[in-house]
Amino acid sequence: MRNLKLTVTYDGTDYGGWQTQANAPTIQQTLETAIQSITCEPRVHCVGSGRTDAGVHALGQVVNMFTSTRLDNATLLKAINAKLPDDIAVLSIDDVSHSFCAIKDAIRKRYRYVINDRRVPDPFLRRTSWQPRQRLDEQAMHRAAQYLKGRHDFRSFETNWPNRLSSIRTIFDIDVRRDEATVIVEVEADGFLYNMVRSIVGTLYQVGRGYWPEVKVKEVLELMDRKEAGPTAPPQGLFMLHVTYA
Amino acid sequence: MRNLKLTVTYDGTDYGGWQTQANAPTIQQTLETAIQSITCEPRVHCVGSGRTDAGVHALGQVVNMFTSTRLDNATLLKAINAKLPDDIAVLSIDDVSHSFCAIKDAIRKRYRYVINDRRVPDPFLRRTSWQPRQRLDEQAMHRAAQYLKGRHDFRSFETNWPNRLSSIRTIFDIDVRRDEATVIVEVEADGFLYNMVRSIVGTLYQVGRGYWPEVKVKEVLELMDRKEAGPTAPPQGLFMLHVTYA
């Protein structure tokens, strides 16, 4: 058996998220079906580094899977991409040790959230950004975001807390910048709680539109109550960017 | 009555082109329906600077329409955009003289064609580029394209010639450049024949992938026969960019 590490990109618009479920097509299921048709194995199981929600995208989702195929990785890459629908693509395939697990061995993940704040909507960004049609102060958002850097209990930014044993995480880097009408939020952490990036973005949005002072983000964090934070930003702006392994 | 000039952008993927037809939703029809619901007029007629085909996009389609609405242009813009589906947006509205006609008064039009030649497909560009998955020589394409500059009979680049009284047009500018894995072809002319940009791109593609020498483009032009040119490039890479009026 071989253990393969795949880097995968997808436009999540038309999927019910990463994980296989009964009532909607998912990325995992679509990928497994394409791979099985190439390797001719009855069942291939793809482990993703994390579950992306319905409508969320990936530029660098990492997946591992065990297979006994003898196809070389370049041939496999081409064959799988030929089978996949055009909103999912495999970027690279590498052999890794049998002990590698895409979810357990991830030590850092980086997400990007894209907001387009042009007053007139942009049809070409509707599937890949949040368009609140309201000009945002990205510098205030960046300053406010720095309160979240470091090791904290992030339960104020978790939907339906508690989902995990602990809601303590470490944010290594959080950055808000502008590129013309696009405001880009990037967050890198050792792990994320359910809807954590989207509720952070919804909170920074309240600062960016001048509704909350910057220091309110610090207060929200300290109050440890999801009701204190801003709204959960919609899924179409979120991209899983990069996963780091030890 | 007022005559209004609208600049419109759209993702044409899900439409049967600009012009109203019976068997598919069109941009014209969708725009007219949205405007009628705002101005409360029984029939508004939008004249476009040119008909874009099914699946073709616009960043700056120009439209004119007569209306008796008393709404100011900023209010009208906001109201129409609120009614339009999110793949169409009006960028600006201006009052113009009654004699202005978006189609007859256009003296130059500029189109962009986007090719992404990354070997692995890019899910985020599948609706807005042609992805032949074959590396192209954009400098050879640019040099070959220069044979088309100037006033010529372009019937070699017209589908189902003749569609118009004359197939003589003047190309003022034609340019091929690369931005990472994206090859951008831009053509500006006093007018275009049916599928002219797409058959020019299909011909330059044969040069870019090394199948034809650059001088073949000159020969195709001189032979005045559509069968000599390359394939018609697919619609999803084409954007109406800009229309110039006297």
Side-chain angles (χ1 to χ4, degrees):
Chain A
M1 287 294 265
R2 299 161 64 191
N3 188 11
L4 298 182
K5 177 185 174 189
L6 286 71
T7 308
V8 183
T9 180
Y10 45 84
D11 174 343
T13 308
D14 301 327
Y15 294 89
W18 163 261
Q19 198 176 36
T20 297
Q21 50 168 276
N23 55 352
T26 65
I27 309 291
Q28 183 188 9
Q29 189 182 311
T30 308
L31 189 61
E32 289 174 351
T33 304
I35 294 169
Q36 283 160 207
S37 75
I38 300 300
T39 66
C40 301
E41 290 165 305
R43 178 82 181 98
V44 163
H45 181 65
C46 286
V47 176
S49 72
R51 299 170 193 171
T52 53
D53 279 324
V56 172
H57 319 294
L59 290 168
Q61 167 73 289
V62 176
V63 169
N64 80 289
M65 54 167 264
F66 284 88
T67 175
S68 54
T69 184
R70 290 178 185 176
L71 291 171
D72 66 89
N73 292 338
T75 305
L76 203 55
L77 180 83
K78 212 170 168 176
I80 295 170
N81 281 331
K83 283 284 177 185
L84 284 170
D86 60 4
D87 48 7
I88 307 178
V90 179
L91 296 170
S92 65
I93 301 181
D94 295 288
D95 280 87
V96 286
S97 81
H98 277 199
S99 66
F100 177 81
C101 171
I103 189 164
K104 289 187 193 143
D105 295 347
I107 55 171
R108 286 184 179 214
K109 284 180 198 164
R110 191 173 182 94
Y111 275 90
R112 175 182 293 166
Y113 195 95
V114 179
I115 306 170
N116 184 279
D117 68 348
R118 195 167 87 163
R119 227 172 47 80
V120 172
D122 187 333
F124 298 101
L125 297 177
R126 74 192 193 284
R127 298 163 68 100
T128 51
S129 72
W130 177 26
Q131 303 194 39
R133 303 193 195 181
Q134 191 165 15
R135 183 79 179 183
L136 302 177
D137 179 347
E138 79 282 1
Q139 293 179 15
M141 292 168 74
H142 179 75
R143 285 188 300 267
Q146 302 317 305
Y147 291 117
L148 303 176
K149 211 167 161 175
R151 185 175 159 84
H152 304 285
D153 188 325
F154 285 100
R155 70 180 69 179
S156 290
F157 301 96
E158 177 171 26
T159 302
N160 306 326
W161 174 87
N163 293 287
R164 311 275 173 105
L165 283 175
S166 162
S167 48
I168 293 172
R169 295 290 183 278
T170 302
I171 290 184
F172 301 112
D173 182 46
I174 180 163
D175 178 77
V176 185
R177 65 181 193 275
R178 174 179 293 279
D179 178 12
E180 297 182 5
T182 297
V183 174
I184 297 160
V185 183
E186 285 193 13
V187 194
E188 188 161 334
D190 57 356
F192 290 91
L193 306 173
Y194 183 42
N195 277 344
M196 180 167 152
V197 179
R198 289 165 57 189
S199 53
I200 286 175
V201 169
T203 303
L204 296 177
Y205 164 74
Q206 301 289 43
V207 174
R209 70 189 184 109
Y211 191 68
W212 281 350
E214 297 168 24
V215 73
K216 169 83 177 177
V217 174
K218 183 169 183 282
E219 292 162 21
V220 167
L221 179 68
E222 288 166 354
L223 286 165
M224 299 209 284
D225 181 350
R226 177 66 186 85
K227 290 194 295 292
E228 300 293 330
T232 302
Q236 73 272 15
L238 187 60
F239 295 75
M240 179 186 274
L241 207 57
H242 186 71
V243 188
T244 306
Y245 292 93
Chain B
M1 290 292 266
R2 297 161 66 191
N3 188 12
L4 298 182
K5 177 186 174 190
L6 286 71
T7 307
V8 183
T9 180
Y10 45 84
D11 174 344
T13 309
D14 301 327
Y15 294 89
W18 164 261
Q19 197 177 36
T20 297
Q21 50 169 275
N23 54 352
T26 65
I27 308 290
Q28 184 188 9
Q29 190 182 311
T30 308
L31 190 60
E32 289 174 350
T33 304
I35 294 169
Q36 282 159 207
S37 75
I38 300 300
T39 66
C40 301
E41 290 164 304
R43 179 82 181 99
V44 163
H45 181 66
C46 287
V47 177
S49 72
R51 300 169 192 170
T52 52
D53 280 324
V56 171
H57 319 293
L59 291 168
Q61 166 75 288
V62 176
V63 169
N64 81 289
M65 54 166 267
F66 284 88
T67 175
S68 53
T69 183
R70 291 179 185 177
L71 292 170
D72 67 272
N73 292 339
T75 306
L76 203 53
L77 181 83
K78 212 169 168 177
I80 295 172
N81 282 331
K83 283 284 176 187
L84 284 170
D86 60 5
D87 47 7
I88 306 178
V90 179
L91 297 169
S92 65
I93 301 181
D94 296 287
D95 280 270
V96 287
S97 82
H98 278 199
S99 66
F100 177 81
C101 171
I103 187 164
K104 289 186 192 144
D105 295 347
I107 55 170
R108 285 183 179 215
K109 284 179 199 164
R110 192 173 181 94
Y111 277 90
R112 177 182 292 165
Y113 195 95
V114 179
I115 307 171
N116 183 279
D117 69 347
R118 195 167 87 161
R119 227 171 47 78
V120 171
D122 186 334
F124 299 100
L125 297 176
R126 72 191 194 285
R127 297 164 69 100
T128 52
S129 73
W130 178 26
Q131 303 194 39
R133 303 193 194 180
Q134 191 165 16
R135 184 79 180 184
L136 301 178
D137 179 346
E138 79 283 1
Q139 293 180 12
M141 292 168 75
H142 179 75
R143 286 189 300 267
Q146 302 316 306
Y147 290 117
L148 303 176
K149 211 167 161 175
R151 186 174 159 85
H152 303 284
D153 188 324
F154 284 100
R155 69 179 70 177
S156 291
F157 300 97
E158 177 171 24
T159 302
N160 306 326
W161 174 87
N163 293 288
R164 311 276 173 104
L165 282 175
S166 161
S167 47
I168 293 172
R169 294 292 183 277
T170 300
I171 290 184
F172 301 112
D173 181 45
I174 179 163
D175 178 79
V176 186
R177 64 183 193 273
R178 175 180 293 279
D179 179 11
E180 296 182 5
T182 297
V183 174
I184 297 160
V185 182
E186 284 193 15
V187 193
E188 187 160 334
D190 57 357
F192 289 91
L193 306 173
Y194 183 42
N195 277 346
M196 182 167 150
V197 180
R198 289 165 58 190
S199 51
I200 287 175
V201 169
T203 303
L204 296 177
Y205 164 73
Q206 301 289 45
V207 173
R209 69 188 183 113
Y211 190 68
W212 282 349
E214 296 168 23
V215 73
K216 169 84 176 178
V217 174
K218 184 170 182 277
E219 292 163 22
V220 167
L221 179 69
E222 288 168 353
L223 286 165
M224 299 210 282
D225 182 351
R226 177 67 187 84
K227 289 193 296 295
E228 299 293 330
T232 302
Q236 73 272 15
L238 188 60
F239 296 75
M240 178 186 273
L241 207 59
H242 186 72
V243 188
T244 306
Y245 292 92

